[in-house]
Amino acid sequence: SQTIHQWPATLVQPVGSPLSLECTVEGTSNPNLYWYRQAAGRGLQLLFYSVGIGQISSEVPQNLSASRPQDRQFILSSKKLLLSDSGFYLCAWTGGSQVQYFGAGTRLSVL
Amino acid sequence: GENVEQHPSTLSVQEGDSAVIKCTYSDSASNYFPWYKQELGKRPQLIIDIRSNVGEKKDQRIAVTLNKTAKHFSLHITETQPEDSAVYFCAASKSGGGADGLTFGKGTHLIIQP
């Protein structure tokens, strides 16, 4: 069966520091991969999606970037974090259908 | 782009009663409408979904209806139980291949009163 791993679970970073969040999917090949952000008490906002290695689509201009160096690996990065980058970051994947499955999420606090 | 509106933002019902959450979408090309349940601090979990070629779908106590003409869809939970308390999100997408991401509503906090 397919599983999605996301780490770390919790992260506290100072303003201006870099960020790297990683997501990997097991048990499937060529998944579509997604990064979402959820601000406290709010809905989910799509940040990036990828349909293949090296293919990244950005939905919202911001202080973040994404990369897909391997088929089942999706990385969310920032060179310098802002206070407004705090939130709950969720990775998700789909296979042949539109059904999306989410990772456990990373709770990022920028102080 | 797509815009999804969800109402109400908070819904409190007595245990055993029914709960209804409504969503509207703006893009008539959207063809997939999932509902997710999110408990505090956890990931969203898919509870039911519907595609544009279907008007209604039911799974035990949960049902979803879709009106393509009016561009709205609703979640119905019957015989509510305490474990139904959570935040519920509706979403929409329009990619046949599943490549585009989901556009989410802002969520409904469902509270089941004992």
Side-chain angles (χ1 to χ4, degrees), chain B residues 48-91:
Chain B
I48 196 166
D49 57 8
I50 192 168
R51 301 186 187 275
S52 58
N53 59 346
V54 176
E56 183 174 358
K57 184 177 178 180
K58 191 173 182 181
D59 182 5
Q60 299 182 345
R61 296 187 297 110
I62 295 173
V64 57
T65 59
L66 171 65
N67 183 325
K68 286 190 297 183
T69 303
K71 289 190 283 189
H72 68 70
F73 55 114
S74 300
L75 177 71
H76 305 252
I77 305 175
T78 58
E79 302 172 13
T80 53
Q81 301 169 3
E83 54 265 35
D84 294 331
S85 293
V87 179
Y88 291 79
F89 293 96
C90 63

Side-chain angles (χ1 to χ4, degrees), chain A residues 13-87:
Chain A
Q13 292 285 94
V15 170
S17 64
L19 173 74
S20 181
L21 302 180
E22 189 164 342
C23 170
T24 59
V25 181
E26 294 179 356
T28 187
S29 59
N30 197 31
N32 295 326
L33 297 171
Y34 308 84
W35 280 110
Y36 291 87
R37 176 171 60 198
Q38 186 175 31
R42 303 287 297 277
L44 288 83
Q45 180 186 37
L46 178 65
L47 302 176
F48 301 95
Y49 68 91
S50 172
V51 299
I53 296 174
Q55 300 179 60
I56 308 294
S57 296
S58 173
E59 289 292 305
V60 181
Q62 61 217 316
N63 187 41
L64 302 168
S65 62
S67 62
R68 185 169 177 176
Q70 299 180 43
D71 181 43
R72 290 170 288 174
Q73 183 185 30
F74 205 21
I75 298 171
L76 183 69
S77 304
S78 174
K79 292 183 179 178
K80 288 186 178 182
L81 285 169
L82 306 172
L83 286 173
S84 57
D85 292 324
S86 294

Side-chain angles (χ1 to χ4, degrees), chain B residues 10-76:
Chain B
T10 303
L11 178 61
S12 181
V13 301
Q14 290 294 124
E15 182 178 350
D17 288 351
S18 296
V20 181
I21 302 170
K22 298 182 179 181
C23 289
T24 61
Y25 60 100
S26 61
D27 191 339
S28 57
S30 288
N31 58 5
Y32 175 65
F33 308 94
W35 286 88
Y36 285 84
K37 175 183 180 182
Q38 186 178 31
E39 297 177 348
L40 189 62
K42 297 192 175 180
R43 77 185 84 186
Q45 299 273 15
L46 179 71
I47 56 172
I48 196 166
D49 57 8
I50 192 168
R51 301 186 187 275
S52 58
N53 59 346
V54 176
E56 183 174 358
K57 184 177 178 180
K58 191 173 182 181
D59 182 5
Q60 299 182 345
R61 296 187 297 110
I62 295 173
V64 57
T65 59
L66 171 65
N67 183 325
K68 286 190 297 183
T69 303
K71 289 190 283 189
H72 68 70
F73 55 114
S74 300
L75 177 71
H76 305 252

